[in-house]
């Protein structure tokens, strides 16, 4: 046991958020105490992302700052975890000798043992094909990295890695081959979360639609599709809301789409990354679907669930993207009318196929395209948000402090309340009448109040 303090700084996606939570739980179980003060920490973990060059640069510059902390406090242990750790391995310690430990994505469950057996430097970044996510320890104390008391809303990792090898993407190299967790472990973990007060679960994987097609070696084949898994999780007593992310359109089955009509607690919200509206670019990206197939899926989803809030990811300036290709992305945006989107300038990543493509797009053109896409998306998103004004919608309260009440709509919008309810606690679902729409959030009041 230890009474040392730790600080985890998380970059990147929700997989990393969940991994940070797990590392935090494991450290807390070992007696570590969390701190938010860099100066007070005995152990600092950076859980890193390498999806784009910018994400990696952020980590490197923070490591530069930490070098000074280490000079003041030579006993400070600096650990780099996550995707940059996986990708750089030994090289990270060569470039940053003040880093004590490099922990790859498949080794986070061993964080305590690794720290306890730390010599001068350690590197644990082996990626193995027969990787399995350990069965979760059910009664582990709930831990919230960052101190946000969000115990009613949690992520649950159902699979790791990715086999798709989109030509721009580093994930198969940083998270390894796709592995599905067993249904029994997922259900067990969901039950334990709910027992601990969780009301909303988001099932997480790089490509949840292919759940069950790739199995962990520790269990026989998973006899469940993702749709069947959703139905099984939805049946657990006490769960109020269910979400999932992320989906690859090529694997999106009709059975899964029909769940939106069938499962009451499945929130009407879907993140369906398109990446580009041009078939030529989709082929070069190795996405294995066409614009037409994508649009068919969108139509089907809206048939099952007309109010569904659709979001997407878009990359602009992929190698070889012409003006006409980009116009295809703009016209797809007009056709689909997303509630929101995450859009990025293409960035070369080491080891990916597109890094070697020759016809790279000029940075200035990428920036212009990104700005144009985002401007139009903002207009569409705001128009959607304005459409909620005057409607009464269910909102799950996230925080209710003496002067501030904030909740989340089923569509994932944050709802700020203009009046307060003293008998409402975080995790309750209440009806709210939307009074005002902003670009990224809504404002609401309790029904019947003026
Ligand atoms: N360059 C730019 N954006 C990327 N993404 C993934 N790889 C790259 C890259 N090399 C984006 C995709 C993905 C999201 C998580 O990040 O849009 O869906
Ligand atoms: Fe970033 Fe991808 Fe790793 Fe998530 S899985 S942290 S998005 S590189």
């Amino acid at each position: 046991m230890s009474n040392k303090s730790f600080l985890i700084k998380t970059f990147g996606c929700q997989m990393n958020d969940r991994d940070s939570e797990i590392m935090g739980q494991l450290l807390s179980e070992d007696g570590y105490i969390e701190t938010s003060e860099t100066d007070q920490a005995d152990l600092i973990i950076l859980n890193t992302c390498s999806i784009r060059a910018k994400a990696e640069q952020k980590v490197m510059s923070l490591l530069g700052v930490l070098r000074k902390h280490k000079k003041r406090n030579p006993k400070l242990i600096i650990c780099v975890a996550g995707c940059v750790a996986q990708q750089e391995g030994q090289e990270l310690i060569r470039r940053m000798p003040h880093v004590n430990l490099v922990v790859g994505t498949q080794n986070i469950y061993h964080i305590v043992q690794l720290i306890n057996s730390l010599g001068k430097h350690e590197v644990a970044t082996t990626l193995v094909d027969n990787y399995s996510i350990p069965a979760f320890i059910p009664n582990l104390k709930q831990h919230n990295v960052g101190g946000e008391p969000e115990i009613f809303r949690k992520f649950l990792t159902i699979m790791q890695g990715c086999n798709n090898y989109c030509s721009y993407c580093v994930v198969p190299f940083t998270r390894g081959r796709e592995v599905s967790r067993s249904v029994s472990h997922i259900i067990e973990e969901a039950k334990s979360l709910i027992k601990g007060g969780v009301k909303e679960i988001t099932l997480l994987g790089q490509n949840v639609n292919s759940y069950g097609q790739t199995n962990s070696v520790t269990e026989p084949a998973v006899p469940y599709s993702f749709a069947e898994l959703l139905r099984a999780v939805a049946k657990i007593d006490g769960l109020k809301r269910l979400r999932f992310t992320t989906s690859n359109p090529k694997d999106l089955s009709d059975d899964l789409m029909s769940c939106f009509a069938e499962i009451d607690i499945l929130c009407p919200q879907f993140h369906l990354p398109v990446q580009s509206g041009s078939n030529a670019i989709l082929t070069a990206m190795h996405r294995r679907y066409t614009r037409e197939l994508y649009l068919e899926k969108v139509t089907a989803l809206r048939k099952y669930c007309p109010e569904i809030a659709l979001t997407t990811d878009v990359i602009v300036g992929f190698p070889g993207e012409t003006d006409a290709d980009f116009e295809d992305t703009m016209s797809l945006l007009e056709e689909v009318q997303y509630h929101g989107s995450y859009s990025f300038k293409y960035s070369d990543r080491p080891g990916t196929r597109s890094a070697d493509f020759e016809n790279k797009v000029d940075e200035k053109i990428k920036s212009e395209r990104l700005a144009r896409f985002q401007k139009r998306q903002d207009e569409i998103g705001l128009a959607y948000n304005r459409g909620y004004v005057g409607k009464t919608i269910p909102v799950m309260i996230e925080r209710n402090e003496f002067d501030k009440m904030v909740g989340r709509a089923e569509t994932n919008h944050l709802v700020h309340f203009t009046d307060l309810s003293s008998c409402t606690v975080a995790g309750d679902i209440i009806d709210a009448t939307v009074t005002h729409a902003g670009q990224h959030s809504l404002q609401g009041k309790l029904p019947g109040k003026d």
Side-chain angles (χ1 to χ4, degrees), residues 343-361:
S343 45
F344 314 98
K345 287 193 268 184
Y346 169 78
S347 157
D348 271 342
R349 303 314 292 132
T352 61
R353 273 187 292 149
S354 62
D356 294 332
F357 290 179
E358 277 172 2
N359 38 6
K360 299 280 157 59
V361 174

Side-chain angles (χ1 to χ4, degrees), residues 11-13 15-16 19 46-52 55-56 59 80-89 92 102-106 108 125 160 170-176 206 349:
F11 301 82
C13 66
M15 300 290 278
N16 266 17
D19 286 352
L46 305 187
N47 196 8
T48 61
C49 171
S50 61
I51 196 89
R52 286 169 293 276
E56 197 168 331
V59 173
V80 181
C83 293
V84 175
Q86 189 64 54
Q87 190 148 321
E88 297 286 315
L92 201 57
V102 177
V103 179
T105 51
Q106 292 186 356
I108 59 150
T125 56
Q160 265 279 22
V170 84
V171 170
F173 308 103
T174 59
R175 296 229 168 226
Q206 299 298 342
R349 303 314 292 132

Side-chain angles (χ1 to χ4, degrees), residues 142-405:
Q142 297 301 324
H143 183 86
N144 298 283
V145 166
E148 283 289 309
E150 269 209 359
I151 57 153
F152 44 86
R153 189 171 193 259
K154 285 280 178 196
F155 296 121
L156 197 171
T157 307
I158 64 162
M159 58 206 293
Q160 265 279 22
C162 184
N163 286 352
N164 284 334
Y165 289 96
C166 299
S167 59
Y168 53 80
C169 188
V170 84
V171 170
F173 308 103
T174 59
R175 296 229 168 226
R177 308 307 302 269
E178 193 175 285
V179 174
S180 301
R181 271 179 97 186
S182 79
V183 177
S184 57
H185 290 170
I186 295 169
I187 300 283
E188 193 185 355
E189 187 168 322
K191 282 187 176 160
S192 119
L193 289 173
I194 295 164
K195 204 166 146 212
V198 169
K199 306 261 192 305
E200 174 180 316
I201 288 179
T202 302
L203 302 180
L204 275 187
Q206 299 298 342
N207 180 20
V208 293
N209 301 145
S210 60
Y211 175 79
Q213 292 166 27
T214 42
N215 306 306
S216 85
V217 286
T218 54
E219 288 249 332
V222 177
Y224 273 58
S225 67
F226 181 61
E228 286 162 331
L229 177 71
L230 261 189
R231 292 185 183 107
V233 175
K235 280 200 197 105
I236 303 176
D237 256 1
L239 186 62
K240 298 274 191 309
R241 282 182 173 183
L242 183 58
R243 303 181 196 269
F244 60 85
T245 199
T246 293
S247 305
N248 187 315
K250 82 177 165 58
D251 300 316
L252 176 53
S253 69
D254 204 56
D255 191 26
L256 177 57
M257 294 193 276
S258 71
C259 288
F260 283 96
E262 180 194 314
I263 302 177
D264 278 354
I265 64 165
L266 185 62
C267 291
Q269 169 241 317
F270 203 107
H271 185 62
L272 193 60
V274 68
Q275 312 299 359
S276 170
S278 150
N279 280 336
I281 297 299
L282 288 173
T283 304
M285 287 176 163
H286 194 52
R287 291 291 284 173
R288 288 178 285 169
Y289 55 83
T290 58
R291 172 193 177 100
E292 292 73 26
L293 186 95
Y294 183 91
L295 288 171
E296 272 171 34
K297 304 266 180 195
V298 168
T299 306
L301 269 172
R302 285 184 168 148
K303 189 180 89 213
Y304 286 116
C305 182
E307 74 279 18
I308 201 158
L310 281 180
T311 52
T312 200
D313 288 344
V314 161
I315 298 176
V316 301
F318 187 80
E321 187 187 71
T322 61
D323 285 344
D325 291 320
F326 177 64
E327 290 311 325
D328 285 347
T329 299
M330 290 303 293
S331 74
L332 183 111
L333 171 61
E334 292 305 332
E335 220 167 306
V336 177
Q337 300 273 312
Y338 294 101
H339 267 69
S341 65
Y342 302 89
S343 45
F344 314 98
K345 287 193 268 184
Y346 169 78
S347 157
D348 271 342
R349 303 314 292 132
T352 61
R353 273 187 292 149
S354 62
D356 294 332
F357 290 179
E358 277 172 2
N359 38 6
K360 299 280 157 59
V361 174
D362 190 79
E363 277 303 314
K364 190 165 158 278
I365 294 178
K366 281 192 217 170
S367 302
E368 283 164 12
R369 289 180 184 166
L370 188 70
R372 218 182 115 202
F373 182 90
Q374 289 180 339
K375 181 166 178 286
R376 183 63 193 126
Q377 173 62 70
D378 281 354
E379 288 164 6
I380 296 170
L382 186 59
Y384 263 120
N385 289 356
R386 288 194 173 134
Y388 293 108
V389 174
K391 291 195 174 141
T392 299
I393 56 171
V395 174
M396 184 183 280
I397 300 305
E398 295 203 342
R399 253 184 295 162
N400 190 3
E401 288 148 13
F402 66 100
D403 60 347
K404 200 159 140 195
M405 189 158 93

Side-chain angles (χ1 to χ4, degrees), residues 108-120:
I108 59 150
Y109 293 89
H110 310 300
I111 186 76
V112 171
Q113 295 89 308
L114 284 165
I115 285 169
N116 289 343
S117 63
L118 198 61
K120 197 164 184 309

